[in-house]
Amino acid sequence: MLTQADDFPVHQTPEPVALCQTDRNFYDRYFFNGYAPDGSVFFAVAFGMYPNINIADAHFSVVRDGVQDCLHASRFLNHERMDLTVGPIRIEVLEPLRKLRVSVAMTDGIAAEIVFDGRAFPIQEPRFTHRFGSRVFMDMTRLTQNARVSGWVEVDGVRTVLPAGSLGTRDRSWGVRPLGAPDAQPYAPPFKPSVFWLWTPLNFATRSVFFHVMAEASGKAWNTRAVVCEDDSAAGEALHSDDAHADVVLVPGMRHAASAVIHIPLPGRHVDVTIEPLGRFHMKGIGYRHPTWTHGMFKGELVVERESFSIAGLDPNALEQLHTQAFARVTWREAGKPDEVGIGTFEYSMVGAYAPLDLA
């Protein structure tokens, strides 16, 4: 099964590139987000390939004035991993590991042209491997990179040029995670799932800060790390801390964060980063937990659909609304130095029990 990718020296096994490991949940995905310095525009993109179910899908979603407009697209992959187009949504790798472009051809009133220019060499996060009993639930690798963002977004005839100072984040992940239709026969005996996930790609004037934690219901982290990455740093130059932790304050009666502080011990110093969420972006807008457009869902040979919703009109505690990104004002605090204010993304998903926050 030869494809375009076979003409590049990227093989990892004796098989053609189109053939990957046998788990039907194997995936390969791009993610991007970006925002104006004042948060007046916030958008995100997801683009995924699922070789063992022969599907590719892509999503573009933008928040303006409290309304989230989304464009969803799905097609048959046809085993061609080098075709980075799904319907109107296209990705171009202009400089590998440095600069990429996302294009959305005008469709149902939505279009965009956005370039992401990395601030430093991408970081590689610790491998995410998690099992339920003997069953692999997640086994994936992810690279992450903050970026300077330029271009424009158009919705219903109103074109917004991203102002100077617009920033964002991109990631690439691949491996195994749940996708598409749920298993016909779930793991036995049945259990109530729990997820506690925080991710904070943050932008300051000359550096980026990344923190993530994936934790069990007891509060024990099974994957966590903080990274401080100076602009233009090369591979291996970022500072890592495996002992960072977050204190989160919830909005009363909700599974959404009102604020947070990330505590980051570094060699010979300690940094606290405070996070003040200023607006919500619902990840269902790019397929995460979407009831009909979840990643890898079978839709047909080529299906494109627009969706719009008012954020204030959503039930914030409905399951599909719990995976959220917030545009945030952030402050770097370090003893003996003046505070530094930046902007960034505060992503969280809190499903099921989590003892440290008294969630059941």
Side-chain angles (χ1 to χ4, degrees), residues 299-318:
K299 306 298 284 189
E301 184 173 2
L302 177 61
V303 177
V304 180
E305 183 178 303
R306 176 175 171 171
E307 176 185 26
S308 300
F309 50 84
S310 166
I311 291 177
L314 300 175
D315 174 2
N317 283 331

Side-chain angles (χ1 to χ4, degrees), residues 40-241:
S40 57
V41 176
F42 187 107
F43 65 87
V45 183
F47 187 113
M49 293 183 173
Y50 318 104
N52 290 336
I53 55 175
N54 198 32
I55 289 172
D57 55 26
H59 311 261
F60 177 82
S61 185
V62 56
V63 173
R64 305 172 312 145
D65 301 324
V67 175
Q68 190 163 336
D69 295 294
C70 318
L71 198 62
H72 309 287
S74 177
R75 67 170 173 87
F76 296 151
L77 176 61
N78 295 320
H79 307 292
E80 185 53 77
R81 308 276 287 279
M82 298 296 284
D83 182 0
L84 300 181
T85 303
V86 179
I89 302 173
R90 181 184 182 190
I91 294 173
E92 298 172 83
V93 180
L94 303 178
E95 298 177 32
L97 302 180
R98 180 70 186 191
K99 185 181 291 188
L100 292 88
R101 176 163 52 218
V102 174
S103 304
V104 182
M106 177 57 71
T107 304
D108 293 338
I110 296 178
E113 189 84 18
I114 305 161
V115 173
F116 296 79
D117 190 356
R119 298 184 63 180
F121 193 84
I123 66 167
Q124 180 178 329
E125 295 176 354
R127 182 167 173 173
F128 289 77
T129 303
H130 197 55
R131 289 178 170 84
F132 294 141
S134 59
R135 175 69 181 273
V136 174
F137 171 74
M138 181 180 291
D139 187 9
M140 53 171 271
T141 294
R142 185 166 78 164
L143 65 83
T144 303
Q145 182 179 48
N146 278 356
R148 300 175 183 92
V149 180
S150 60
W152 53 267
V153 175
E154 183 172 329
V155 180
D156 296 334
V158 178
R159 178 169 293 193
T160 302
V161 177
L162 296 171
S166 294
L167 297 165
T169 301
R170 76 174 192 94
D171 75 38
R172 281 275 294 111
S173 65
W174 59 91
V176 174
R177 65 194 295 180
L179 60 90
D183 290 348
Q185 180 173 324
Y187 189 83
F191 63 94
K192 186 176 181 180
S194 67
V195 174
F196 183 81
W197 163 248
L198 303 179
W199 182 49
T200 66
L202 310 177
N203 287 279
F204 293 93
T206 62
R207 64 171 70 95
S208 299
V209 174
F210 305 93
F211 170 77
H212 75 267
V213 60
M214 186 75 85
E216 300 173 353
S218 65
K220 180 182 178 181
W222 60 266
N223 194 305
T224 187
R225 193 178 66 177
V227 178
V228 177
C229 186
E230 299 295 331
D231 280 4
D232 300 317
S233 58
E237 292 182 351
L239 298 176
H240 296 174
S241 174

Side-chain angles (χ1 to χ4, degrees), residues 317-338:
N317 283 331
L319 180 61
E320 67 189 63
Q321 317 300 353
L322 295 182
H323 192 175
T324 303
Q325 288 193 347
F327 172 77
R329 180 184 296 114
V330 296
T331 304
W332 170 290
R333 292 192 168 96
E334 184 176 357
K337 297 183 179 181

